[in-house]
Structures are given as structure tokens and as C-alpha cells.
Amino acid sequence: MSIDTGSTIKTNFFMWRLAAYSGCLYPIGVGIFWFVVAGLVPPPLASLDAEAIKLWYLDNNLAMRTGMVGVIFFAPFWFVWSCLIARIIQRIEGPNGVLSLVQLLGGVCTSVVTFGAGSIWLVASFRTAERSPEIIQMLNDFGWIVFDVTFMITVVQYAAWGLAILSDKRSTPLFPRWFAWATFADGATFLPLVLIPFDLTGVFSWVGLINFWVVFVGFWVWCVAAIFCIFSAVRRVELEEAQR
Amino acid sequence: MGKRQACSGVTHQVKVPRLPGMPGIWVFVLLDMGFFALLFLAFVLGQLRHAELFAQSQRTLDVGLGLTNTLILLSSSWLVAFAVHAARDDDRKWSTRCLSLAILCGVSFVAIKVVEYSAKFRAGISILTNEFYMLYFAVTTLHLLHVIAGTTVLAVIAQKARNGGYGRGNTIGIETGATYWHMIDLLWVMIFPLFYLASWQ
């Protein structure tokens, strides 16, 4: 069963596949520049005082500057993916749905959060020796609050995507239903990020077991599933349109 | 769902074993429980590192209210299980009734938690007091959010049950909601002894 999207114009599936491939650059590019280049595995402790954090930024200066340039560079590819996912969701809910729009806006804002936080940490790594330790600490804190506490932007994107998947009435849905539940579960791991402002030393700090390791590892593992599911959804839409 | 097989002119209903509810809910349940397992691990590590602090803080928790909530959730799980069985037997009246009582249990759980938290706040205890209370509030609040979501899910399926939306061979929806509710109950059955009772001293 297919939904009439109200368009008789042939879809450019080459562009769809291009979007699918380039969207992968977000987890790959941001991942490499965050973990390998900047070496933030894990990042410096939230409990470090101003002198200590300035020293850290001085010791890791080139790695952080290069790493953050990379994170900013690859940030837009998340919203490229979101545009493609929005089009696929439209094939599920039709042209008058809201889920595709909510998902897209969540995706755009997630890109903003990525390059926003990346820019803040880049500023902290720029002219570090000339600035006071308090300023470096404030910039480091600022970056983390922007990056982590704004998680609901991505949770709302996930919720719209997951709801769309579950509402697909096709016998073989465009996205597998288990992926909707896995997406909800990944979103659920973001909820403890509300505790970032309240925990400087424990598992809920931005380097803690729950708010760093579970969130980051969970996200990148989820990305692997997302990559496969997105490519397979594009193929299914293409087949469906060819059969019309 | 049963499949019919024709065998020398006689048809037999063959029951194909399946997990209750939508398969995807089990993906969510396993991942969610895995996440809570990590939170419990963090708590146990905290207990090992700060045994005296944790024991002292644990003594301020209201075991009576915790036990009451345990009994409430266990009862609600029994009611939900009964509602699923009633739905499978096409018993609209009892499935709706049991779900309504389970919703009442969910609301009671939330009310008791509010009372418990209020008492802590009045005593000047908050998430910032120490590591024990950080974990206590974080884990029990996360669980409380699950209870609120679960109670909402029960309300949705109760409404559908009231309108005759479930019956023999058509119980996937109610089973999915029930599975989620049982997970919430199971989590509390682990939270209560770990946070309120277990002492490493």
C-alpha cells in the first residue's frame, strides 16, 4: 500500500542516495574529529578548577583546535540526513503531516547545537595563553551546557521519527519497527543529561559513566543501525515508486 | 496468532508461539533495563566507595512508603495481567475494570512519591546534598517518569478496551502496554531493596 503524496513528478533518487551517503559524514566525521583528533575520550573532568582547565587546553591546544574545526565542518550533514528522512516520512504520513516537519526542525537544531558547542570550545582553544583561566573555564562550561542540556531537541526529532515509523501501515514498513523502539531507547539515554548542571564529580557529570559513556557509545552504535535502515528505506521507496 | 492447517479434510488451529505485544517493545524493554542496570552499577560502586555516607543517608529514606509503593506496583501488575487474560477471553467488562484499577495504582504511586520527595525537601535534602541523594533522586525520578508514561499508556488502552477494541485474537495492543507496565514494576522491585534496604556495612 502506498500513500499518494500528491505529486506526479518523478523523484530524483540519485539525490536521495547522495543525501543518504553524505548524512553518514556526520557520525563518521564528527566521530573521528571528536574521539581521534581532539582525543576527548573522555573529555576533561567537570570538577577541574579554572587553572587546571586552562592548563588542559594549553596541553591539548592543537588537537582541540583541529578537532573542533572538524566537528563544526561535519555538523551540517546531520540536517542533510534529516531532510532525506523527512521526505521518507512524507511517504508514510502523506503531504499534510507534521511528523516530517518536526523531525526536520529537530535535525536542523541538532546541527546548530553541534556547531554551536564546537565553536565555543574552539574559542576556548584559540589564544588560550592570552586569556585568564576563568574565561577558559567559562567557555568550556558554556560548550558543555549547550551541547548536552539541549538534548530535548534531538529527543523530539527521534520521537517524531519513531512515531512515523510505527504509524506505517505497509506490510513491509519503510523503516523496520524495531528501529523505532531502538530510537526511542537511544533518546531515553539522553534524559539524565538534565542532571549535567547539578553533578560535577559523579556519574551524571559531563564525563560520567551515564552522561558521557552511555550517551556517546549509545549514540554511535545507534548511528550504525540508522545508516543501514536509511539506505534500505530509500531502496523501498524507489521500488514502490517504480511499481506505480 | 493461530494458523489453520488442512489435514485430510479436518482443520486444526495451530498456535504459533510468540512474544506478547509488538516485537519492538521487547527491544525497548531490554535496552531500557540495560540502562537501569548501569545506574544500579553506579549506585553499587558508590556504596563501595562511600560506605558510611551511603549507609547514613539510606537510613533517612522512608522504608514504609517504599514498601507501600512496592505493594501497589505488584498489585497493579497482577491487575494488568488479569486484564490481558480477560481481553483474550473477550471479557470487555473485566479487562476495562482491571485496567482502571491499575491506573488508580499508578496514580497512587505518583502521589506517594510526591509525599516522599516533599518530606525530603522540607528536611533540606536535595539532589545536591551528596552522591547518595544524587543517585537516589535521579534513579527514582527516572523511574517515576516511566510510571507516569506507563499510566498514560494504561489510560489509552483502557479507553480502547472500553470501546471493545480488544478481543480474542486481537490483543497485541493491550499486551504491548502490559509488557511496558511489567517492566516498570520489575525495575521498582530492584530499586526498592537496592536503595532502601541493602546495606554493605
Side-chain angles (χ1 to χ4, degrees):
Chain A
M1 181 200 133
S2 62
I3 306 254
D4 178 15
T5 59
S7 168
T8 50
I9 300 169
K10 215 163 136 5
T11 306
N12 187 342
F13 285 105
F14 170 76
M15 285 301 173
W16 279 41
R17 271 191 292 278
L18 188 60
Y21 277 108
S22 50
C24 296
L25 290 174
Y26 181 95
I28 294 169
V30 171
I32 288 172
F33 280 88
W34 179 278
F35 293 112
V36 178
V37 176
L40 296 170
V41 198
L45 294 174
S47 55
L48 289 183
D49 63 25
E51 292 289 347
I53 194 71
K54 177 174 170 174
L55 197 60
W56 186 90
Y57 268 89
L58 285 171
D59 288 345
N60 297 277
N61 202 260
L62 186 59
M64 272 301 280
R65 265 193 277 172
T66 320
M68 290 306 113
V69 165
V71 165
I72 295 164
F73 185 94
F74 288 102
F77 292 101
W78 182 264
F79 73 65
V80 170
W81 240 4
S82 303
C83 290
L84 171 63
I85 293 159
R87 283 302 192 202
I88 301 173
I89 291 175
Q90 272 188 314
R91 296 296 173 119
I92 298 171
E93 64 175 1
N96 299 317
V98 292
L99 296 174
S100 58
L101 296 174
V102 171
Q103 186 280 142
L104 178 56
L105 286 169
V108 169
C109 294
T110 300
S111 285
V112 171
V113 165
T114 306
F115 69 68
S119 303
I120 293 164
W121 287 317
L122 181 57
V123 173
S125 319
F126 182 68
R127 281 203 269 255
T128 311
E130 297 164 43
R131 296 197 218 275
S132 76
E134 286 74 27
I135 290 178
I136 305 300
Q137 187 186 50
M138 199 210 75
L139 287 167
N140 188 54
D141 292 349
F142 190 3
W144 278 107
I145 301 286
V146 165
F147 192 70
D148 271 348
V149 188
T150 54
F151 66 91
M152 272 306 280
I153 287 167
T154 314
V155 169
V156 165
Q157 178 188 11
Y158 279 5
W161 190 357
L163 281 171
I165 295 172
L166 293 179
S167 70
D168 193 346
K169 303 261 185 298
R170 294 169 173 79
S171 50
T172 307
L174 295 180
F175 288 101
R177 286 192 226 286
W178 64 259
F179 180 67
W181 296 103
T183 302
F184 292 149
D186 192 43
T189 66
F190 298 166
L191 295 176
L193 291 169
V194 289
L195 298 170
I196 291 278
F198 305 102
D199 189 359
L200 290 174
T201 54
V203 295
F204 299 111
S205 75
W206 60 63
V207 305
L209 170 69
I210 301 299
N211 280 341
F212 177 75
W213 293 102
V214 170
V215 168
F216 277 62
V217 171
F219 174 73
W220 261 272
V221 168
W222 172 88
C223 279
V224 173
I227 289 170
F228 282 109
C229 291
I230 288 168
F231 277 108
S232 120
V234 170
R235 266 195 303 277
R236 287 186 179 142
V237 175
E238 198 170 0
L239 266 167
E240 209 172 74
E241 198 165 291
Q243 279 159 10
R244 271 211 217 128
Chain B
M1 286 296 289
K3 281 200 256 193
R4 288 190 183 278
Q5 285 182 327
C7 182
S8 12
V10 178
T11 50
H12 299 276
Q13 187 87 8
V14 176
K15 267 193 150 180
V16 177
R18 61 166 180 90
L19 279 175
M22 291 193 258
I25 191 67
W26 289 95
V27 172
F28 183 81
V29 163
L30 285 170
L31 291 172
D32 209 19
M33 291 192 66
F35 185 53
F36 270 91
L38 285 172
L39 290 168
F40 298 155
L41 177 67
F43 183 78
V44 168
L45 289 173
Q47 271 187 323
L48 290 172
R49 271 203 300 264
H50 314 283
E52 177 56 49
L53 175 74
F54 271 52
Q56 198 178 30
S57 305
Q58 190 182 56
R59 281 193 281 272
T60 66
L61 295 186
D62 194 326
V63 174
L65 290 183
L67 184 62
T68 307
N69 267 344
T70 307
L71 295 171
I72 284 174
L73 278 188
L74 287 172
S75 307
S76 73
S77 264
W78 180 84
L79 286 162
V80 167
F82 199 84
V84 172
H85 279 281
R88 284 178 182 156
D89 287 337
D90 270 326
D91 190 343
R92 193 202 299 197
K93 188 173 76 172
W94 274 104
S95 64
T96 311
R97 230 174 241 178
C98 288
L99 285 171
S100 301
L101 288 170
I103 290 165
L104 199 61
C105 289
V107 171
S108 307
F109 182 95
V110 174
I112 290 175
K113 268 261 124 356
V114 168
V115 166
E116 202 182 330
Y117 286 165
S118 306
K120 289 283 169 300
F121 298 148
R122 269 197 309 273
I125 296 169
S126 78
I127 202 165
L128 295 173
T129 304
N130 65 38
E131 201 181 317
F132 174 89
Y133 290 115
M134 166 71 71
L135 282 159
Y136 163 75
F137 279 112
V139 175
T140 58
T141 305
L142 191 59
H143 178 262
L144 184 64
L145 292 174
H146 280 69
V147 171
I148 292 169
T151 308
T152 311
V153 166
L154 289 182
V156 168
I157 62 180
Q159 182 63 15
K160 191 165 173 186
R162 190 171 294 120
N163 296 333
Y166 302 116
R168 193 170 286 118
N170 175 25
T171 51
I172 301 266
I174 190 174
E175 288 170 10
T176 305
T179 303
Y180 181 68
W181 189 260
H182 291 316
M183 179 197 75
I184 290 169
D185 187 19
L186 181 57
L187 287 172
W188 181 258
V189 162
M190 293 189 279
I191 289 171
F192 175 61
L194 185 62
F195 281 76
Y196 288 73
L197 305 177
S199 176
W200 290 67
Q201 283 204 317

